[in-house]
Amino acid sequence: MVADRFDLMTWREVYERSAGLRDLAHELGERHEGATDLLTDTFLAAYKAHPRLRRPTEMEPCRLVNHQIVTSLTESPEFAALHRETAGDPYAAAMAVLAQGAALRRMLRDCADAQERAERAQRSGRDARDAAAAVADALRQAAHRAERAQRSGRDARDAAAAVADALRQAAHEAPEDRAAPAPVTDAVRAAAEAAEEAEGAAREDARSAARALGAALPGVRAAARGAVVRAAEAARGEAALMRAWGVGPGELERMPFEQRARLAERLRTGRLAEWAELIGRFRQMADGERARKVENATGELIGVTLGDDLSRVIPSELAALGLPELRAVFAARYAAGELMLYDSQGEQSTGQGAVIACVDTSHSMYEAGPGGITREAWAKACALALLDQAREAGRDFVGILFAAADKLQVFRFPAGRPAGITEVLDFAESFLGGGTSYQRPLSAAAELLEEEFDDTARARGDIVMLTDDDCGVTEEWMRGWNAAKHRLGFRVFGIAVGTPRVAEADSVLDALCDNLRAVEDLTDVHAAADLFRVI
């Protein structure tokens, strides 16, 4: 593969950082002398924007097998799809090499006979060159004898004649009666014969190697095609995995090789690895819902209604405050929520405080629903979409994982700093197990909102409760909860994941939430779509 020093520098850096590439090179090197060169060319074919192969005539015989393997890879119909994923990306190109490792082993095994013959042809070529060097050495000896003759008193013409005579004898042209001294003549003749024999052997070995490589070619091409298909699938799968978890191309380019390799491995083998597609669909759905208009909210006036929102009281109601005898009536109607208000619809003014997702991680959440999707996977996919929602709105996000009363984990993602993928994965992959308690996570959420209000004066946060179980709370706790809710103005949304009974009108969750819905079909990410239009 034609490459400049910068391409080769990139390859050396990747090779030094990748234990997988070094292990593969060591394994293949036990069978094939040029294994590292083969891996280099395979990497460059995937990495370079416009890969170009050298002509076979420019290659040494022992590298023709490598040339044919790389040619088969790059000429495969599927190579273009792979190249779109790997061009300019050293990490992706290295992963493509590793994905093709098994096929490279097979191709080298199929070409073992051709490689052996090619190496023999190269040795024969070296022998021919050595023989030619011997001829040249014999000629130099003849010239040296001529120089000695000149030093012994002969004139320049005799010396030149001696050299010419030696050259003619080397070409078997000298007459017998004017032969050069026997030792020189014999040396030149023997060297020439050896050169001719070595050259003939080299030509025959080269033809033999070409025949062996031709016999192996169909298998090499089939293996190459399969290797490129698998590498392209692996590259596309990893790219999709990164997108599903919200890792953008720019972040990947800045990420060190070792960190990116560890991240990819964690995403492939983590607790929610098989639900990456669900997570990606959830995030896409939420992104689309953010752009939709919210109905029945502050905006266009559409009539008059009753309520206690003083910001929308109609002028005739306010006029009552100007008469002392009507002020008590106004107060009574305000307390009863019977003031006449402007009714409107348009764009809603959403919350300003933190978005808090309380995710149930009790044992029952591990149960799978339709499509084999677990309740945990659906709930965490929803929570990750809520994280995106909060980032988009410039609001803090807090993920609270809960189970029994003694099990709670809090993950905070302030709006002022990026949400690191490692922290996001820690939140998504943690699972507590055990029973279910509502009081502990909801109290923690209320305390966080109160802390935020005290520090920044931001109120009107949003709490989303994702659970599959219903459990009791004490009356004393409920009074404190309602007082905190009134004081801080936060909203509570509930989602009964896979268990409709939890969302019944007389359930505890219904009493706790302002907005409650049940999700039975866990394959449907749109069941909670309206949530992302109002939070």
Side-chain angles (χ1 to χ4, degrees), residues 252-271:
L252 288 176
E253 289 176 4
R254 296 189 299 271
M255 196 176 292
F257 184 91
E258 300 90 339
Q259 182 182 350
R260 185 170 172 181
R262 288 194 300 270
L263 173 60
E265 180 64 19
R266 183 174 181 182
L267 293 181
R268 282 192 297 267
T269 60
R271 184 178 183 87

Side-chain angles (χ1 to χ4, degrees), residues 194-374:
E196 290 175 1
E197 182 180 348
E199 185 177 356
R203 283 195 297 269
E204 178 56 34
D205 287 338
R207 285 193 293 268
S208 177
R211 287 192 298 270
L213 186 56
L217 191 55
V220 169
R221 286 176 175 166
R225 185 169 184 175
V228 172
V229 169
R230 286 189 292 274
E233 289 175 350
R236 284 194 298 268
E238 184 163 310
L241 200 60
M242 294 293 182
R243 287 194 299 271
W245 283 95
V247 185
E251 185 178 354
L252 288 176
E253 289 176 4
R254 296 189 299 271
M255 196 176 292
F257 184 91
E258 300 90 339
Q259 182 182 350
R260 185 170 172 181
R262 288 194 300 270
L263 173 60
E265 180 64 19
R266 183 174 181 182
L267 293 181
R268 282 192 297 267
T269 60
R271 184 178 183 87
L272 298 183
E274 62 181 305
W275 313 122
E277 190 268 341
L278 173 70
I279 294 169
R281 285 196 295 123
F282 234 115
R283 285 179 143 160
Q284 289 176 356
M285 177 274 295
D287 186 55
E289 292 300 324
R290 277 195 290 272
R292 294 186 59 178
K293 184 177 181 180
V294 180
E295 297 180 355
N296 300 325
T298 304
E300 179 186 359
L301 297 177
I302 60 173
V304 176
T305 187
L306 299 179
D308 59 0
D309 186 350
L310 296 179
S311 66
R312 293 190 288 141
V313 175
I314 65 175
S316 61
E317 290 278 25
L318 292 174
L321 293 176
L323 300 173
E325 58 271 20
L326 293 180
R327 289 175 185 170
V329 176
F330 181 92
R333 294 182 63 190
Y334 171 69
E338 294 178 352
L339 293 175
M340 296 180 68
L341 312 176
Y342 285 121
D343 197 6
S344 61
Q345 111 177 359
E347 186 176 351
Q348 176 172 308
S349 177
T350 58
Q352 301 297 319
V355 177
I356 302 180
C358 297
V359 182
D360 187 351
T361 59
S362 60
H363 283 314
S364 58
M365 288 290 287
Y366 195 64
E367 184 178 329
I373 298 173
T374 64

